Amino acid sequence: MWLEPFGAHTQGYTPADKLAAFERTIENCRDLQRQYDDFIHFMEREGTTASAEADHERAEALLRQVEAARDVMAGQALVVLADGLLERCAEILAIETAGRP
């Protein structure tokens, strides 16, 4: 499920698990957006009058998937922010890169 590990049982997951799940969600969102963009370009190049209705329905279905993935990503971002995970990551990066240009 896309919401894991950000469902009802978030206490059982480490910060690393939560960050990894958030990264997977971002990648999923990007992949779906690429599929949608690729299909729109395909329709513009190869679409015909005969395929217009089916193409339009497919494009709408892909767009709904993109929007759903964005909603999930936004929900997980709120959990990651509420848990302070991004702040901890920023602190670690600041320590690791201290004194470097």
mmCIF file of all heavy atoms in Angstrom, residues 31-75:
data_model
loop_
_atom_site.group_PDB
_atom_site.id
_atom_site.type_symbol
_atom_site.label_atom_id
_atom_site.label_comp_id
_atom_site.label_asym_id
_atom_site.label_seq_id
_atom_site.Cartn_x
_atom_site.Cartn_y
_atom_site.Cartn_z
ATOM 1 N N ASP A 31 7.390 8.902 -11.634
ATOM 2 C CA ASP A 31 7.159 7.904 -12.686
ATOM 3 C C ASP A 31 5.773 8.070 -13.310
ATOM 4 O O ASP A 31 5.627 8.008 -14.537
ATOM 5 C CB ASP A 31 7.304 6.487 -12.129
ATOM 6 C CG ASP A 31 8.737 6.124 -11.789
ATOM 7 O OD1 ASP A 31 9.667 6.830 -12.239
ATOM 8 O OD2 ASP A 31 8.929 5.131 -11.058
ATOM 9 N N LEU A 32 4.770 8.263 -12.480
ATOM 10 C CA LEU A 32 3.413 8.448 -13.004
ATOM 11 C C LEU A 32 3.313 9.728 -13.831
ATOM 12 O O LEU A 32 2.648 9.742 -14.878
ATOM 13 C CB LEU A 32 2.397 8.460 -11.865
ATOM 14 C CG LEU A 32 2.149 7.108 -11.211
ATOM 15 C CD1 LEU A 32 1.342 7.271 -9.935
ATOM 16 C CD2 LEU A 32 1.450 6.167 -12.175
ATOM 17 N N GLN A 33 3.981 10.796 -13.383
ATOM 18 C CA GLN A 33 3.971 12.045 -14.149
ATOM 19 C C GLN A 33 4.643 11.837 -15.501
ATOM 20 O O GLN A 33 4.158 12.321 -16.533
ATOM 21 C CB GLN A 33 4.675 13.161 -13.363
ATOM 22 C CG GLN A 33 4.634 14.508 -14.062
ATOM 23 C CD GLN A 33 3.228 15.080 -14.175
ATOM 24 O OE1 GLN A 33 2.519 15.154 -13.182
ATOM 25 N NE2 GLN A 33 2.831 15.484 -15.361
ATOM 26 N N ARG A 34 5.755 11.096 -15.532
ATOM 27 C CA ARG A 34 6.443 10.802 -16.803
ATOM 28 C C ARG A 34 5.540 9.986 -17.731
ATOM 29 O O ARG A 34 5.483 10.251 -18.932
ATOM 30 C CB ARG A 34 7.741 10.033 -16.547
ATOM 31 C CG ARG A 34 8.906 10.916 -16.229
ATOM 32 C CD ARG A 34 10.215 10.119 -16.189
ATOM 33 N NE ARG A 34 10.970 10.625 -15.065
ATOM 34 C CZ ARG A 34 11.252 9.964 -13.959
ATOM 35 N NH1 ARG A 34 10.920 8.705 -13.818
ATOM 36 N NH2 ARG A 34 11.915 10.533 -12.973
ATOM 37 N N GLN A 35 4.848 8.988 -17.174
ATOM 38 C CA GLN A 35 3.936 8.193 -17.998
ATOM 39 C C GLN A 35 2.856 9.070 -18.608
ATOM 40 O O GLN A 35 2.537 8.926 -19.785
ATOM 41 C CB GLN A 35 3.287 7.090 -17.160
ATOM 42 C CG GLN A 35 4.207 5.970 -16.775
ATOM 43 C CD GLN A 35 3.514 4.969 -15.870
ATOM 44 O OE1 GLN A 35 2.293 4.793 -15.908
ATOM 45 N NE2 GLN A 35 4.293 4.298 -15.029
ATOM 46 N N TYR A 36 2.296 9.950 -17.811
ATOM 47 C CA TYR A 36 1.265 10.864 -18.306
ATOM 48 C C TYR A 36 1.837 11.768 -19.399
ATOM 49 O O TYR A 36 1.239 11.902 -20.473
ATOM 50 C CB TYR A 36 0.702 11.694 -17.148
ATOM 51 C CG TYR A 36 -0.263 12.761 -17.604
ATOM 52 C CD1 TYR A 36 -1.553 12.428 -18.012
ATOM 53 C CD2 TYR A 36 0.111 14.092 -17.636
ATOM 54 C CE1 TYR A 36 -2.443 13.404 -18.437
ATOM 55 C CE2 TYR A 36 -0.769 15.074 -18.061
ATOM 56 C CZ TYR A 36 -2.047 14.719 -18.460
ATOM 57 O OH TYR A 36 -2.916 15.686 -18.895
ATOM 58 N N ASP A 37 2.985 12.384 -19.125
ATOM 59 C CA ASP A 37 3.609 13.271 -20.118
ATOM 60 C C ASP A 37 3.935 12.525 -21.406
ATOM 61 O O ASP A 37 3.685 13.038 -22.507
ATOM 62 C CB ASP A 37 4.881 13.905 -19.556
ATOM 63 C CG ASP A 37 4.607 14.882 -18.426
ATOM 64 O OD1 ASP A 37 3.453 15.348 -18.286
ATOM 65 O OD2 ASP A 37 5.566 15.176 -17.677
ATOM 66 N N ASP A 38 4.485 11.317 -21.279
ATOM 67 C CA ASP A 38 4.811 10.510 -22.463
ATOM 68 C C ASP A 38 3.555 10.185 -23.263
ATOM 69 O O ASP A 38 3.568 10.227 -24.497
ATOM 70 C CB ASP A 38 5.523 9.214 -22.069
ATOM 71 C CG ASP A 38 6.936 9.446 -21.563
ATOM 72 O OD1 ASP A 38 7.466 10.570 -21.735
ATOM 73 O OD2 ASP A 38 7.497 8.498 -20.978
ATOM 74 N N PHE A 39 2.469 9.864 -22.564
ATOM 75 C CA PHE A 39 1.241 9.527 -23.275
ATOM 76 C C PHE A 39 0.672 10.744 -23.986
ATOM 77 O O PHE A 39 0.195 10.635 -25.119
ATOM 78 C CB PHE A 39 0.191 8.932 -22.326
ATOM 79 C CG PHE A 39 -1.009 8.418 -23.063
ATOM 80 C CD1 PHE A 39 -0.940 7.247 -23.793
ATOM 81 C CD2 PHE A 39 -2.197 9.126 -23.070
ATOM 82 C CE1 PHE A 39 -2.034 6.772 -24.505
ATOM 83 C CE2 PHE A 39 -3.297 8.679 -23.766
ATOM 84 C CZ PHE A 39 -3.220 7.490 -24.491
ATOM 85 N N ILE A 40 0.738 11.914 -23.355
ATOM 86 C CA ILE A 40 0.254 13.134 -24.007
ATOM 87 C C ILE A 40 1.073 13.404 -25.265
ATOM 88 O O ILE A 40 0.503 13.723 -26.325
ATOM 89 C CB ILE A 40 0.317 14.340 -23.033
ATOM 90 C CG1 ILE A 40 -0.660 14.141 -21.874
ATOM 91 C CG2 ILE A 40 0.064 15.653 -23.760
ATOM 92 C CD1 ILE A 40 -2.123 14.031 -22.276
ATOM 93 N N HIS A 41 2.385 13.255 -25.194
ATOM 94 C CA HIS A 41 3.223 13.448 -26.382
ATOM 95 C C HIS A 41 2.904 12.411 -27.459
ATOM 96 O O HIS A 41 2.876 12.727 -28.645
ATOM 97 C CB HIS A 41 4.702 13.407 -26.010
ATOM 98 C CG HIS A 41 5.135 14.610 -25.242
ATOM 99 N ND1 HIS A 41 5.398 14.550 -23.908
ATOM 100 C CD2 HIS A 41 5.318 15.904 -25.611
ATOM 101 C CE1 HIS A 41 5.732 15.756 -23.474
ATOM 102 N NE2 HIS A 41 5.685 16.596 -24.496
ATOM 103 N N PHE A 42 2.669 11.175 -27.032
ATOM 104 C CA PHE A 42 2.289 10.128 -27.972
ATOM 105 C C PHE A 42 0.972 10.488 -28.667
ATOM 106 O O PHE A 42 0.845 10.348 -29.886
ATOM 107 C CB PHE A 42 2.149 8.784 -27.249
ATOM 108 C CG PHE A 42 1.558 7.708 -28.103
ATOM 109 C CD1 PHE A 42 2.330 7.052 -29.041
ATOM 110 C CD2 PHE A 42 0.214 7.358 -27.974
ATOM 111 C CE1 PHE A 42 1.777 6.060 -29.843
ATOM 112 C CE2 PHE A 42 -0.340 6.372 -28.764
ATOM 113 C CZ PHE A 42 0.441 5.722 -29.706
ATOM 114 N N MET A 43 -0.005 10.953 -27.892
ATOM 115 C CA MET A 43 -1.301 11.341 -28.479
ATOM 116 C C MET A 43 -1.121 12.455 -29.508
ATOM 117 O O MET A 43 -1.748 12.440 -30.560
ATOM 118 C CB MET A 43 -2.266 11.839 -27.388
ATOM 119 C CG MET A 43 -3.026 10.759 -26.698
ATOM 120 S SD MET A 43 -4.239 11.346 -25.458
ATOM 121 C CE MET A 43 -4.373 13.073 -25.640
ATOM 122 N N GLU A 44 -0.272 13.421 -29.189
ATOM 123 C CA GLU A 44 -0.042 14.530 -30.111
ATOM 124 C C GLU A 44 0.613 14.066 -31.400
ATOM 125 O O GLU A 44 0.302 14.588 -32.472
ATOM 126 C CB GLU A 44 0.819 15.604 -29.430
ATOM 127 C CG GLU A 44 0.093 16.325 -28.314
ATOM 128 C CD GLU A 44 1.010 17.205 -27.482
ATOM 129 O OE1 GLU A 44 2.255 17.177 -27.674
ATOM 130 O OE2 GLU A 44 0.477 17.923 -26.610
ATOM 131 N N ARG A 45 1.510 13.087 -31.310
ATOM 132 C CA ARG A 45 2.208 12.583 -32.496
ATOM 133 C C ARG A 45 1.387 11.564 -33.276
ATOM 134 O O ARG A 45 1.319 11.607 -34.496
ATOM 135 C CB ARG A 45 3.521 11.905 -32.081
ATOM 136 C CG ARG A 45 4.649 12.797 -31.749
ATOM 137 C CD ARG A 45 5.965 12.017 -31.597
ATOM 138 N NE ARG A 45 5.811 10.664 -31.074
ATOM 139 C CZ ARG A 45 5.894 10.326 -29.789
ATOM 140 N NH1 ARG A 45 6.123 11.232 -28.884
ATOM 141 N NH2 ARG A 45 5.748 9.068 -29.411
ATOM 142 N N GLU A 46 0.808 10.602 -32.551
ATOM 143 C CA GLU A 46 0.227 9.430 -33.190
ATOM 144 C C GLU A 46 -1.296 9.367 -33.126
ATOM 145 O O GLU A 46 -1.886 8.477 -33.720
ATOM 146 C CB GLU A 46 0.783 8.155 -32.534
ATOM 147 C CG GLU A 46 2.287 8.083 -32.456
ATOM 148 C CD GLU A 46 2.937 7.892 -33.809
ATOM 149 O OE1 GLU A 46 2.312 7.269 -34.699
ATOM 150 O OE2 GLU A 46 4.074 8.370 -33.978
ATOM 151 N N GLY A 47 -1.902 10.263 -32.386
ATOM 152 C CA GLY A 47 -3.352 10.198 -32.211
ATOM 153 C C GLY A 47 -4.099 10.401 -33.513
ATOM 154 O O GLY A 47 -3.682 11.157 -34.395
ATOM 155 N N THR A 48 -5.203 9.699 -33.626
ATOM 156 C CA THR A 48 -6.060 9.819 -34.811
ATOM 157 C C THR A 48 -7.470 10.148 -34.345
ATOM 158 O O THR A 48 -7.791 10.045 -33.155
ATOM 159 C CB THR A 48 -6.095 8.494 -35.595
ATOM 160 O OG1 THR A 48 -6.706 7.489 -34.777
ATOM 161 C CG2 THR A 48 -4.704 8.043 -36.013
ATOM 162 N N THR A 49 -8.291 10.526 -35.275
ATOM 163 C CA THR A 49 -9.681 10.807 -34.950
ATOM 164 C C THR A 49 -10.348 9.566 -34.379
ATOM 165 O O THR A 49 -11.144 9.647 -33.440
ATOM 166 C CB THR A 49 -10.434 11.285 -36.210
ATOM 167 O OG1 THR A 49 -9.739 12.411 -36.743
ATOM 168 C CG2 THR A 49 -11.858 11.649 -35.891
ATOM 169 N N ALA A 50 -10.013 8.411 -34.940
ATOM 170 C CA ALA A 50 -10.619 7.155 -34.483
ATOM 171 C C ALA A 50 -10.208 6.806 -33.053
ATOM 172 O O ALA A 50 -10.985 6.218 -32.303
ATOM 173 C CB ALA A 50 -10.231 6.021 -35.420
ATOM 174 N N SER A 51 -9.004 7.178 -32.657
ATOM 175 C CA SER A 51 -8.532 6.815 -31.325
ATOM 176 C C SER A 51 -8.718 7.943 -30.303
ATOM 177 O O SER A 51 -8.373 7.778 -29.129
ATOM 178 C CB SER A 51 -7.049 6.426 -31.379
ATOM 179 O OG SER A 51 -6.255 7.559 -31.672
ATOM 180 N N ALA A 52 -9.260 9.067 -30.720
ATOM 181 C CA ALA A 52 -9.340 10.252 -29.864
ATOM 182 C C ALA A 52 -10.086 9.986 -28.559
ATOM 183 O O ALA A 52 -9.631 10.384 -27.485
ATOM 184 C CB ALA A 52 -9.978 11.408 -30.615
ATOM 185 N N GLU A 53 -11.235 9.317 -28.623
ATOM 186 C CA GLU A 53 -12.021 9.087 -27.412
ATOM 187 C C GLU A 53 -11.277 8.178 -26.432
ATOM 188 O O GLU A 53 -11.200 8.475 -25.231
ATOM 189 C CB GLU A 53 -13.382 8.489 -27.756
ATOM 190 C CG GLU A 53 -14.291 8.357 -26.548
ATOM 191 C CD GLU A 53 -15.670 7.845 -26.912
ATOM 192 O OE1 GLU A 53 -16.095 7.958 -28.072
ATOM 193 O OE2 GLU A 53 -16.334 7.326 -26.000
ATOM 194 N N ALA A 54 -10.731 7.078 -26.933
ATOM 195 C CA ALA A 54 -9.990 6.155 -26.075
ATOM 196 C C ALA A 54 -8.731 6.825 -25.523
ATOM 197 O O ALA A 54 -8.392 6.640 -24.349
ATOM 198 C CB ALA A 54 -9.618 4.901 -26.845
ATOM 199 N N ASP A 55 -8.057 7.609 -26.361
ATOM 200 C CA ASP A 55 -6.866 8.324 -25.908
ATOM 201 C C ASP A 55 -7.214 9.307 -24.799
ATOM 202 O O ASP A 55 -6.491 9.427 -23.811
ATOM 203 C CB ASP A 55 -6.203 9.068 -27.069
ATOM 204 C CG ASP A 55 -5.538 8.134 -28.077
ATOM 205 O OD1 ASP A 55 -5.358 6.939 -27.760
ATOM 206 O OD2 ASP A 55 -5.202 8.616 -29.166
ATOM 207 N N HIS A 56 -8.314 10.010 -24.973
ATOM 208 C CA HIS A 56 -8.739 10.986 -23.969
ATOM 209 C C HIS A 56 -9.064 10.292 -22.647
ATOM 210 O O HIS A 56 -8.668 10.768 -21.574
ATOM 211 C CB HIS A 56 -9.952 11.773 -24.485
ATOM 212 C CG HIS A 56 -10.437 12.807 -23.538
ATOM 213 N ND1 HIS A 56 -9.751 13.971 -23.285
ATOM 214 C CD2 HIS A 56 -11.534 12.848 -22.740
ATOM 215 C CE1 HIS A 56 -10.402 14.677 -22.392
ATOM 216 N NE2 HIS A 56 -11.503 14.020 -22.041
ATOM 217 N N GLU A 57 -9.740 9.163 -22.701
ATOM 218 C CA GLU A 57 -10.069 8.418 -21.485
ATOM 219 C C GLU A 57 -8.809 7.914 -20.789
ATOM 220 O O GLU A 57 -8.703 7.973 -19.561
ATOM 221 C CB GLU A 57 -10.998 7.248 -21.817
ATOM 222 C CG GLU A 57 -12.406 7.684 -22.172
ATOM 223 C CD GLU A 57 -13.291 6.532 -22.607
ATOM 224 O OE1 GLU A 57 -12.877 5.356 -22.452
ATOM 225 O OE2 GLU A 57 -14.388 6.811 -23.108
ATOM 226 N N ARG A 58 -7.847 7.431 -21.575
ATOM 227 C CA ARG A 58 -6.581 6.951 -21.008
ATOM 228 C C ARG A 58 -5.816 8.112 -20.358
ATOM 229 O O ARG A 58 -5.280 7.971 -19.256
ATOM 230 C CB ARG A 58 -5.730 6.292 -22.102
ATOM 231 C CG ARG A 58 -4.369 5.874 -21.655
ATOM 232 C CD ARG A 58 -4.421 4.685 -20.730
ATOM 233 N NE ARG A 58 -3.072 4.288 -20.403
ATOM 234 C CZ ARG A 58 -2.700 3.857 -19.216
ATOM 235 N NH1 ARG A 58 -3.587 3.691 -18.274
ATOM 236 N NH2 ARG A 58 -1.466 3.537 -18.968
ATOM 237 N N ALA A 59 -5.799 9.256 -21.021
ATOM 238 C CA ALA A 59 -5.114 10.427 -20.470
ATOM 239 C C ALA A 59 -5.760 10.858 -19.157
ATOM 240 O O ALA A 59 -5.065 11.193 -18.188
ATOM 241 C CB ALA A 59 -5.111 11.572 -21.478
ATOM 242 N N GLU A 60 -7.078 10.837 -19.096
ATOM 243 C CA GLU A 60 -7.774 11.200 -17.854
ATOM 244 C C GLU A 60 -7.460 10.208 -16.737
ATOM 245 O O GLU A 60 -7.274 10.604 -15.586
ATOM 246 C CB GLU A 60 -9.283 11.279 -18.097
ATOM 247 C CG GLU A 60 -9.724 12.525 -18.830
ATOM 248 C CD GLU A 60 -11.236 12.607 -18.980
ATOM 249 O OE1 GLU A 60 -11.939 11.622 -18.654
ATOM 250 O OE2 GLU A 60 -11.707 13.652 -19.439
ATOM 251 N N ALA A 61 -7.413 8.931 -17.063
ATOM 252 C CA ALA A 61 -7.093 7.914 -16.053
ATOM 253 C C ALA A 61 -5.672 8.111 -15.530
ATOM 254 O O ALA A 61 -5.434 8.025 -14.310
ATOM 255 C CB ALA A 61 -7.254 6.517 -16.645
ATOM 256 N N LEU A 62 -4.733 8.386 -16.421
ATOM 257 C CA LEU A 62 -3.353 8.634 -15.998
ATOM 258 C C LEU A 62 -3.267 9.883 -15.125
ATOM 259 O O LEU A 62 -2.545 9.902 -14.124
ATOM 260 C CB LEU A 62 -2.432 8.774 -17.212
ATOM 261 C CG LEU A 62 -2.107 7.477 -17.948
ATOM 262 C CD1 LEU A 62 -1.405 7.773 -19.270
ATOM 263 C CD2 LEU A 62 -1.246 6.573 -17.078
ATOM 264 N N LEU A 63 -3.998 10.925 -15.490
ATOM 265 C CA LEU A 63 -3.997 12.149 -14.707
ATOM 266 C C LEU A 63 -4.569 11.905 -13.311
ATOM 267 O O LEU A 63 -4.040 12.432 -12.314
ATOM 268 C CB LEU A 63 -4.771 13.255 -15.422
ATOM 269 C CG LEU A 63 -4.752 14.621 -14.755
ATOM 270 C CD1 LEU A 63 -3.325 15.111 -14.546
ATOM 271 C CD2 LEU A 63 -5.556 15.616 -15.571
ATOM 272 N N ARG A 64 -5.608 11.090 -13.213
ATOM 273 C CA ARG A 64 -6.158 10.754 -11.886
ATOM 274 C C ARG A 64 -5.119 10.023 -11.036
ATOM 275 O O ARG A 64 -5.010 10.252 -9.821
ATOM 276 C CB ARG A 64 -7.436 9.932 -12.014
ATOM 277 C CG ARG A 64 -8.657 10.750 -12.405
ATOM 278 C CD ARG A 64 -9.943 9.960 -12.263
ATOM 279 N NE ARG A 64 -9.978 8.769 -13.093
ATOM 280 C CZ ARG A 64 -10.383 8.745 -14.373
ATOM 281 N NH1 ARG A 64 -10.789 9.850 -14.959
ATOM 282 N NH2 ARG A 64 -10.391 7.615 -15.045
ATOM 283 N N GLN A 65 -4.335 9.146 -11.664
ATOM 284 C CA GLN A 65 -3.279 8.440 -10.937
ATOM 285 C C GLN A 65 -2.214 9.418 -10.444
ATOM 286 O O GLN A 65 -1.735 9.311 -9.312
ATOM 287 C CB GLN A 65 -2.628 7.379 -11.817
ATOM 288 C CG GLN A 65 -3.487 6.171 -12.061
ATOM 289 C CD GLN A 65 -2.790 5.156 -12.951
ATOM 290 O OE1 GLN A 65 -1.993 5.515 -13.821
ATOM 291 N NE2 GLN A 65 -3.086 3.893 -12.719
ATOM 292 N N VAL A 66 -1.850 10.365 -11.295
ATOM 293 C CA VAL A 66 -0.862 11.374 -10.905
ATOM 294 C C VAL A 66 -1.387 12.186 -9.724
ATOM 295 O O VAL A 66 -0.676 12.417 -8.742
ATOM 296 C CB VAL A 66 -0.513 12.301 -12.099
ATOM 297 C CG1 VAL A 66 0.280 13.517 -11.638
ATOM 298 C CG2 VAL A 66 0.240 11.541 -13.176
ATOM 299 N N GLU A 67 -2.628 12.611 -9.802
ATOM 300 C CA GLU A 67 -3.220 13.409 -8.717
ATOM 301 C C GLU A 67 -3.305 12.612 -7.416
ATOM 302 O O GLU A 67 -3.044 13.138 -6.333
ATOM 303 C CB GLU A 67 -4.586 13.927 -9.137
ATOM 304 C CG GLU A 67 -4.496 14.989 -10.221
ATOM 305 C CD GLU A 67 -5.831 15.337 -10.855
ATOM 306 O OE1 GLU A 67 -6.827 14.607 -10.613
ATOM 307 O OE2 GLU A 67 -5.874 16.323 -11.602
ATOM 308 N N ALA A 68 -3.650 11.328 -7.508
ATOM 309 C CA ALA A 68 -3.712 10.481 -6.313
ATOM 310 C C ALA A 68 -2.319 10.321 -5.704
ATOM 311 O O ALA A 68 -2.156 10.382 -4.474
ATOM 312 C CB ALA A 68 -4.306 9.118 -6.654
ATOM 313 N N ALA A 69 -1.316 10.131 -6.550
ATOM 314 C CA ALA A 69 0.060 9.998 -6.054
ATOM 315 C C ALA A 69 0.517 11.291 -5.387
ATOM 316 O O ALA A 69 1.206 11.259 -4.361
ATOM 317 C CB ALA A 69 1.000 9.622 -7.199
ATOM 318 N N ARG A 70 0.131 12.424 -5.938
ATOM 319 C CA ARG A 70 0.485 13.710 -5.323
ATOM 320 C C ARG A 70 -0.182 13.860 -3.957
ATOM 321 O O ARG A 70 0.420 14.379 -3.018
ATOM 322 C CB ARG A 70 0.075 14.864 -6.229
ATOM 323 C CG ARG A 70 0.973 15.031 -7.422
ATOM 324 C CD ARG A 70 0.507 16.185 -8.275
ATOM 325 N NE ARG A 70 1.306 16.289 -9.484
ATOM 326 C CZ ARG A 70 0.930 16.946 -10.550
ATOM 327 N NH1 ARG A 70 -0.241 17.575 -10.584
ATOM 328 N NH2 ARG A 70 1.724 17.001 -11.619
ATOM 329 N N ASP A 71 -1.420 13.413 -3.853
ATOM 330 C CA ASP A 71 -2.122 13.479 -2.563
ATOM 331 C C ASP A 71 -1.412 12.622 -1.516
ATOM 332 O O ASP A 71 -1.249 13.037 -0.365
ATOM 333 C CB ASP A 71 -3.579 13.028 -2.709
ATOM 334 C CG ASP A 71 -4.436 14.015 -3.484
ATOM 335 O OD1 ASP A 71 -4.003 15.177 -3.679
ATOM 336 O OD2 ASP A 71 -5.534 13.615 -3.919
ATOM 337 N N VAL A 72 -1.003 11.430 -1.908
ATOM 338 C CA VAL A 72 -0.289 10.545 -0.987
ATOM 339 C C VAL A 72 1.036 11.177 -0.581
ATOM 340 O O VAL A 72 1.411 11.181 0.591
ATOM 341 C CB VAL A 72 -0.065 9.152 -1.624
ATOM 342 C CG1 VAL A 72 0.892 8.314 -0.794
ATOM 343 C CG2 VAL A 72 -1.391 8.428 -1.797
ATOM 344 N N MET A 73 1.744 11.735 -1.567
ATOM 345 C CA MET A 73 3.032 12.374 -1.282
ATOM 346 C C MET A 73 2.850 13.541 -0.314
ATOM 347 O O MET A 73 3.632 13.705 0.628
ATOM 348 C CB MET A 73 3.692 12.855 -2.573
ATOM 349 C CG MET A 73 5.080 13.406 -2.359
ATOM 350 S SD MET A 73 5.964 13.794 -3.888
ATOM 351 C CE MET A 73 4.880 14.983 -4.646
ATOM 352 N N ALA A 74 1.823 14.333 -0.510
ATOM 353 C CA ALA A 74 1.564 15.458 0.390
ATOM 354 C C ALA A 74 1.253 14.968 1.801
ATOM 355 O O ALA A 74 1.741 15.534 2.790
ATOM 356 C CB ALA A 74 0.416 16.308 -0.144
ATOM 357 N N GLY A 75 0.478 13.912 1.917
ATOM 358 C CA GLY A 75 0.166 13.352 3.234
ATOM 359 C C GLY A 75 1.407 12.831 3.929
ATOM 360 O O GLY A 75 1.611 13.074 5.124
#
